[in-house]
Amino acid sequence: MTISLTVLGLALVAVALVDMFQTLFHPASHGTMSDWLSKSVWRTLRKFARPRGTLLTLAGPTAMFLIIVSWAGLIVLGCAIVYDQRLSSFRTVAGLASPQSPSFFEAWNISLGSLISLAGESVPPNRWLRLLMSIEALIGLGLVTASVSWLLSVYPIVESRRTLARFANSLKSAAERDDWQTKWLAESSAAYILVSLTRDLAAVRTETAQFPIAYYFSVRHPESELAVALPFIDDLASQAGNTIYSGTTRVAGKILGMQVSDYLKLLAVTFLRMSAESQPEEILASYMEDHFQIKANP
């Protein structure tokens, strides 16, 4: 029984560590638990946010908080299960009385203390248990450092996406106000706009693939929402790819269109539960609906 519980405890720690590694250090993969938590928080808040969409802006921060807490909780729980089977062998430091009736709560306290500090109040005589407590302390330090790095990595991605959205939506507003189309611009101006949008959208696509949780950071203002700007970007690419411009500008338009399609495929497979073979219009409509945005009439 003791061996089985020890294996269970170490397995819980391993689950947390694998999920941390996949989420934070392995761009080609995603953490199964963290992805599930992110999607669950998003879907739950969407149900309550329907009357007022501003509640959806809490999804991303809430998901990040719960993921970090779940990592710490699994590590503490797993180590506590291991310590609980051997509490009778633990000795407290001088001046502190040993617990009269050891319980799992005491094991939880020991595990939590080990996670946040190298110096605990209880010391086991067994060498491998002392090693486990030291490793838990190092994991705790790594968890704090990795979590801060994760926060500092995700928020710039969110800001880059919002910046792209504001730029594209500003172009859209200017086009509607002045009634211009891409083919009426000077070729140098059109090429600059297309290249800028292509570069920024490619960066957003790559960053979203590496840190999927960035998708769940919604915004209150439509002008900062990429779901609102993407139809205009796609239309701009179509116009540039079918105009009398030189080959260079037409190619730039087609490349932008490819980037839009690539980004939509990522959204379809990763977030929208759709096939990558779905029509771009369907993916775009689902993306806008997922963020409570309504496509404006042309």
Side-chain angles (χ1 to χ4, degrees):
M1 183 66 176
T2 299
I3 296 177
S4 299
L5 289 175
T6 299
V7 172
L8 173 62
L10 295 178
L12 291 177
V13 175
V15 168
L17 293 178
V18 170
D19 195 76
M20 286 175 58
F21 176 78
Q22 290 182 331
T23 301
L24 304 177
F25 306 110
H26 192 196
S29 182
H30 302 146
T32 301
M33 184 179 68
S34 58
D35 286 349
W36 178 83
L37 276 174
S38 299
K39 293 177 181 178
S40 298
V41 170
W42 177 260
R43 293 167 186 168
T44 300
L45 288 183
R46 281 190 82 256
K47 294 180 181 179
F48 293 99
R50 287 191 180 278
R52 53 187 184 90
T54 55
L55 183 62
L56 205 58
T57 60
L58 299 175
T62 301
M64 289 194 78
F65 173 76
L66 290 179
I67 290 170
I68 294 172
V69 169
S70 68
W71 289 337
L74 281 178
I75 294 169
V76 172
L77 176 61
C79 291
I81 291 175
V82 176
Y83 302 149
D84 183 56
Q85 307 304 307
R86 300 161 179 83
L87 274 181
S88 59
S89 66
F90 277 70
R91 299 291 181 267
T92 58
V93 296
L96 296 176
S98 301
Q100 298 298 320
S101 55
S103 63
F104 185 77
F105 181 73
E106 182 67 24
W108 177 273
N109 283 336
I110 293 174
S111 181
L112 183 60
S114 299
L115 185 71
I116 62 179
S117 174
L118 281 170
E121 296 177 352
S122 299
V123 180
N126 193 302
R127 290 183 178 179
W128 81 267
L129 280 178
R130 290 200 298 269
L131 176 62
L132 178 60
M133 294 179 71
S134 299
I135 292 175
E136 186 181 3
L138 292 176
I139 291 174
L141 178 62
L143 176 62
V144 172
T145 304
S147 298
V148 172
S149 300
W150 193 32
L151 290 170
L152 295 178
S153 298
V154 169
Y155 277 95
I157 296 173
V158 176
E159 292 306 313
S160 296
R161 190 182 67 203
R162 293 176 181 176
T163 300
L164 171 59
R166 293 191 70 90
F167 175 56
N169 283 319
S170 295
L171 285 175
K172 178 182 177 182
S173 298
E176 293 173 346
R177 183 175 59 249
D178 299 332
D179 192 26
W180 58 264
Q181 295 182 12
T182 307
K183 62 183 179 182
W184 297 342
L185 292 175
E187 185 162 352
S188 59
S189 300
Y192 173 78
I193 291 173
L194 295 171
V195 170
S196 297
L197 290 172
T198 301
R199 181 189 61 241
D200 294 344
L201 185 58
V204 168
R205 192 267 178 214
T206 301
E207 292 165 346
T208 303
Q210 183 169 354
F211 295 99
I213 196 170
Y215 173 87
Y216 303 107
F217 281 76
S218 185
V219 295
R220 295 182 180 179
H221 308 293
E223 61 270 17
S224 298
E225 179 56 69
L226 187 56
V228 176
L230 211 53
F232 174 74
I233 296 175
D234 189 39
D235 184 59
L236 209 60
S238 298
Q239 289 183 31
N242 298 280
T243 63
I244 59 174
Y245 283 134
S246 68
T248 301
T249 306
R250 287 202 303 272
V251 169
K254 292 184 182 299
I255 293 176
L256 177 58
M258 292 170 61
Q259 286 297 332
V260 171
S261 178
D262 195 30
Y263 183 62
L264 289 176
K265 288 180 180 179
L266 172 68
L267 298 181
V269 174
T270 308
F271 307 104
L272 302 176
R273 292 179 289 181
M274 300 176 67
S275 169
E277 305 303 322
S278 301
Q279 293 298 317
E281 295 78 9
E282 296 176 357
I283 301 174
L284 186 55
S286 180
Y287 178 35
M288 297 181 71
E289 192 276 334
D290 201 37
H291 282 261
F292 290 134
Q293 303 298 335
I294 300 175
K295 187 173 182 178
N297 294 326

